[in-house]
Structures are given as C-alpha cells and as structure tokens.
Amino acid sequence: PYTLPADVEAKLLQFMEYFGLNYGAIDIIVTVDGRYVFLEVNPVGEFFWLELYAGLPISNAIADLLL
C-alpha cells in the first residue's frame, strides 16, 4: 500500500469526478526531486496481478464500491 500526499489525492479524486469515473488505474511517476507526475488513467485497467502480488483486497474494494 502507498499513501499519496493529500494534495495529489485530492487532485486525482477531482479528476475522476470531472470525467465521471468511479474506477481507474492511474499511472503516476515520482521524479527524483519528489514531484508527482500524472501519466494516464485507464478506466478499465488491470489490477488482478497486483492484487495477487501484493496481497491487497482490490477486487473486494471495487465490488463494495459498485454495490
């Protein structure tokens, strides 16, 4: 798990709301000087490999959101 800085999280949530997305696989890089750079959002992004690798309950969280 990774916690984004509050301002980055707020901007991403605003972005998602603007585009009407309730799920998206967001790609971000952190530069060597600590800046967060948004690359893309994939509204049907794959996550299952990450769920298995990291042991995170991503599928359950998405299912709960959709209910």
Side-chain angles (χ1 to χ4, degrees), residues 2-67:
Y2 185 85
T3 302
L4 291 168
D7 63 321
V8 174
E9 180 181 353
K11 289 175 185 174
L12 290 171
L13 290 172
Q14 184 179 23
F15 173 89
M16 297 294 285
E17 184 176 335
Y18 178 82
F19 286 103
L21 300 171
N22 59 13
Y23 168 77
I26 297 171
D27 292 336
I28 298 174
I29 59 172
V30 181
T31 64
V32 293
D33 60 343
R35 290 181 304 119
Y36 287 75
V37 179
F38 171 84
L39 300 176
E40 69 171 345
V41 62
N42 186 336
V44 292
E46 304 265 341
F47 60 86
F48 195 62
W49 65 272
L50 180 61
E51 180 175 57
L52 293 175
Y53 180 77
L56 299 171
I58 299 170
S59 295
N60 288 341
I62 293 173
D64 289 344
L65 176 69
L66 294 174
L67 293 174

